Amino acid sequence: MSYTTKPTGDPSTTDYRVFFEKDGKQISPFHDIPLHASKDSHVFNVVIEIPKDTNAKLEISTKEKFNPIKQDVKNGKLRFVADLPGHKGYPWNYGAFPQTWENPTHKEPDTDAFGDNDPLDVCEIGSEKAAVGQVKQVKVLGTLALIDEGETDWKIITIDVHDPLAQKINTLEDLEREKPGYVKAMHDWFRDYKIPDGKPPNKFAFNGEAKNKDLALKVIEENHKFWQELTSGKIPSKGTKGNGDKYEISL
């Protein structure tokens, strides 16, 4: 399947949006792109929000019609991620699995925290720098269980199936062999990336240990089920999170 991106507005302003089309019709990257590219072989579609080595904090807008990608805004200003030592912006392509939703009314037993009300986050570690809105096909290697400001925020570690190293990397152990220290560097980056903004280091479940593919696949399927319940109306699209805050999703 091929998807077309349609940017609107000036990227240096809060008006900037990246909309999606398929066969000339506007679609939602959150709801209309299938999660599974090949369910039998565990290949998934991922929507890239932030190309590697860039700083703008772009994300799928879950509240807006057709859920375009937009830049996050804090205190009226566009949000950028600081450069940490040895890195320029995000060190990997960063995006989201379509048709997944971290349910803010569900307390995850592994993290003892409610979901963050967003699609599942994905780190794609391949060598190619992706484009904003590019849809890549990836295989899953493992996950980090981040607890971001008190909310469950899984980071699923993946690699583009077309990457030159994809045939050699199928597990976190393979990743460590091919790229020694990479997983620890990823952990440390997510721990520290908000410190320049005056916030404390992020916390993790499992004492910060990255977990294997089996758990990551379980997390993906659980959050796909939450999305199915959301879009079917079993879970309301507007309500109160487990922490007492309000949430609203555009379907």
Side-chain angles (χ1 to χ4, degrees):
M1 293 185 184
S2 61
Y3 303 95
T4 305
T5 54
K6 297 289 185 181
T8 65
D10 185 334
S12 66
T13 71
T14 58
D15 294 331
Y16 178 64
R17 298 288 186 276
V18 177
F19 289 93
F20 287 70
E21 291 184 356
K22 181 178 183 297
D23 299 329
K25 294 182 179 180
Q26 197 164 36
I27 64 165
S28 161
F30 186 5
H31 303 305
D32 297 326
I33 295 174
L35 168 63
H36 297 279
S38 174
K39 192 166 187 177
D40 292 342
S41 55
H42 292 307
V43 176
F44 298 89
N45 289 313
V46 58
V47 178
I48 300 299
E49 299 160 310
I50 306 171
K52 65 188 293 186
D53 303 326
T54 65
N55 301 77
K57 184 70 173 74
L58 299 166
E59 60 188 14
I60 291 172
S61 177
T62 58
K63 291 183 178 180
E64 297 183 21
K65 187 176 181 181
F66 290 111
N67 312 113
I69 292 174
K70 70 170 187 176
Q71 190 164 351
D72 191 19
V73 175
K74 285 288 177 73
N75 300 318
K77 295 182 178 180
L78 293 173
R79 184 178 166 202
F80 294 89
V81 169
D83 293 331
L84 295 185
H87 302 292
K88 166 63 177 167
Y90 278 76
W92 36 77
N93 294 310
Y94 190 73
F97 280 132
Q99 298 186 342
T100 64
W101 181 56
E102 294 207 58
N103 181 357
T105 70
H106 170 74
K107 180 175 277 192
E108 173 58 51
D110 288 328
T111 62
D112 194 35
F114 294 97
D116 74 349
N117 193 40
D118 283 324
L120 272 175
D121 291 329
V122 181
C123 303
E124 191 283 303
I125 64 161
S127 57
E128 178 191 65
K129 181 177 180 177
V132 176
Q134 184 175 347
V135 179
K136 281 178 168 281
Q137 285 69 53
V138 300
K139 60 182 177 180
V140 172
L141 308 177
T143 185
L144 285 166
L146 184 69
I147 302 170
D148 191 351
E149 299 185 27
E151 295 181 322
T152 300
D153 193 9
W154 295 98
K155 307 298 180 186
I156 308 296
I157 305 165
T158 71
I159 187 168
D160 186 332
V161 295
H162 303 295
D163 189 83
L165 286 178
Q167 294 301 314
K168 295 182 178 181
I169 299 178
N170 295 289
T171 65
L172 292 179
E173 291 75 21
D174 294 341
L175 176 57
E176 183 62 25
R177 183 189 67 242
E178 296 294 328
K179 296 188 175 194
Y182 194 97
V183 176
K184 183 182 185 304
M186 180 179 285
H187 166 277
D188 293 352
W189 191 90
F190 278 115
R191 180 192 64 198
D192 297 342
Y193 82 106
K194 290 188 176 181
I195 292 177
D197 297 329
K199 296 183 178 179
N202 277 319
K203 297 179 180 180
F204 298 82
F206 308 114
N207 295 314
E209 179 186 350
K211 305 304 284 186
N212 64 23
K213 179 194 307 186
D214 290 342
L215 179 63
L217 292 172
K218 177 184 172 186
V219 168
I220 293 167
E221 291 308 318
E222 179 182 57
N223 285 276
H224 180 48
K225 182 180 177 183
F226 286 143
W227 172 84
Q228 290 174 322
E229 292 175 344
L230 171 72
T231 53
S232 71
K234 186 173 180 180
I235 299 174
S237 61
K238 183 187 296 187
T240 302
K241 298 180 180 181
N243 65 10
D245 294 340
K246 300 295 183 182
Y247 75 89
E248 182 176 353
I249 299 290
S250 175
L251 300 178

